[in-house]
Amino acid sequence: MVMYGVSSTVRNIKSKTRLALLGAVLGVIGLVSAVILPMAANAAVSFNYTLFGDASIVQPGNGSANAAQIVSDSSVAPYYGGVDFGVPSGVTTLSTLNNLSTDYMFTSGNCGLGAPRFVATVTTPSNMSENVNFYLGPYPDYNNCPQNVWSNTGNLASPTNIVDASQLGGGFYEPYASVQSSYGSYPVTDVFLVTDAGGTGANAQVVKIDNSQVDTNTYTYEPAPTKDSCKKGGWMNLTDAQGHSFKNQGDCVSYFANGGVN
């Protein structure tokens, strides 16, 4: 059975200049974890994510049908938007979070003031939830993102990329390798991508994102496969949640008809 749910989790998320409150989820896509052919080596396409705040699925994407659109307009509640990836498979601690990237395109506004950004929420030894921020846009000011042009962030969790670990007691700008060295054992409890810097009218942040990667998981924002996707040879391009190929069309149909259990 494909399950849909709404998370009412409230998180505190800090930009470089202010504190933003992440409220109740407005949209959800929580679909079965079967995957299509990888977008990149060792990267499985995942359909498990949640839209929150002012976020929606729009068309077209970057070379695909769909993209996620996230919006931050300081004159329109809830003033922020994002995609919550939860804790993707393979991610357990900061030491195992080694890939964060996305295609992105601004259709209004600009980057800067701490958004958009990937956020990794971790639990500290004192049982506090704190964030590590990975900012989109050109270092060191993280602004001047062009409009109506698809760009890619590159790997924001590479050892040399500069991140913000100030909530953990680290530096405001320091290489991610240093953060992993100091806090790599901290459990990761959530990973999300958010924009919340505000602006109004033509200055509001409206950003499309596509082909987002969290560790070995790729999010293309396309509809999840169903049993009908197995037909006409489609089963040969699908795998189960563990990355195993199907034996034949019937095997594939059975898997999706039973909600990801074969």
Side-chain angles (χ1 to χ4, degrees), residues 12-240:
N12 287 319
I13 49 179
K14 291 182 179 178
S15 71
K16 289 189 292 184
T17 58
R18 63 187 178 83
L19 177 66
L21 182 64
L22 177 61
V25 172
L26 297 187
V28 166
I29 300 181
L31 302 179
V32 61
S33 296
V35 298
I36 61 177
L37 287 180
M39 294 288 293
N42 301 317
V45 178
S46 176
F47 302 94
N48 293 319
Y49 62 89
T50 302
L51 302 178
F52 64 83
D54 194 346
S56 59
I57 299 298
V58 297
Q59 293 79 32
N62 186 18
S64 60
N66 293 344
Q69 178 174 276
I70 57 177
V71 178
S72 179
D73 187 329
S74 59
S75 66
V76 181
Y79 317 119
Y80 56 82
V83 182
D84 194 328
F85 305 107
V87 183
S89 60
V91 177
T92 55
T93 64
L94 274 182
S95 65
T96 61
L97 180 59
N98 295 306
N99 185 22
L100 289 172
S101 68
T102 192
D103 297 340
Y104 67 98
M105 179 174 70
F106 276 81
T107 58
S108 175
N110 201 350
C111 50
L113 296 178
R117 67 192 181 278
F118 277 99
V119 180
T121 302
V122 301
T123 301
T124 69
S126 58
N127 204 35
M128 297 290 292
S129 290
E130 303 290 0
N131 296 327
V132 179
N133 298 301
F134 304 77
Y135 300 114
L136 277 64
Y139 175 81
D141 298 321
Y142 302 103
N143 55 20
N144 295 323
C145 292
Q147 289 186 3
N148 302 314
V149 176
W150 281 104
S151 304
N152 183 269
T153 61
N155 182 11
L156 299 180
S158 68
T160 58
N161 191 59
I162 303 300
V163 303
D164 173 10
S166 56
Q167 289 191 34
L168 300 180
F172 197 75
Y173 294 125
E174 63 178 305
Y176 186 49
S178 176
V179 175
Q180 288 184 305
S181 177
S182 299
Y183 312 106
S185 64
Y186 288 13
V188 174
T189 58
D190 197 15
V191 178
F192 57 96
L193 176 58
V194 64
T195 194
D196 59 0
T200 60
N203 294 318
Q205 290 184 313
V206 181
V207 192
K208 289 184 178 182
I209 59 173
D210 202 0
N211 304 315
S212 307
Q213 292 194 357
V214 181
D215 198 50
T216 59
N217 303 271
T218 298
Y219 302 82
T220 63
Y221 309 105
E222 306 301 329
T226 67
K227 63 180 182 180
D228 291 334
S229 306
C230 302
K231 300 176 181 179
K232 298 181 180 179
W235 64 272
M236 292 183 287
N237 297 323
L238 295 167
T239 71
D240 64 18

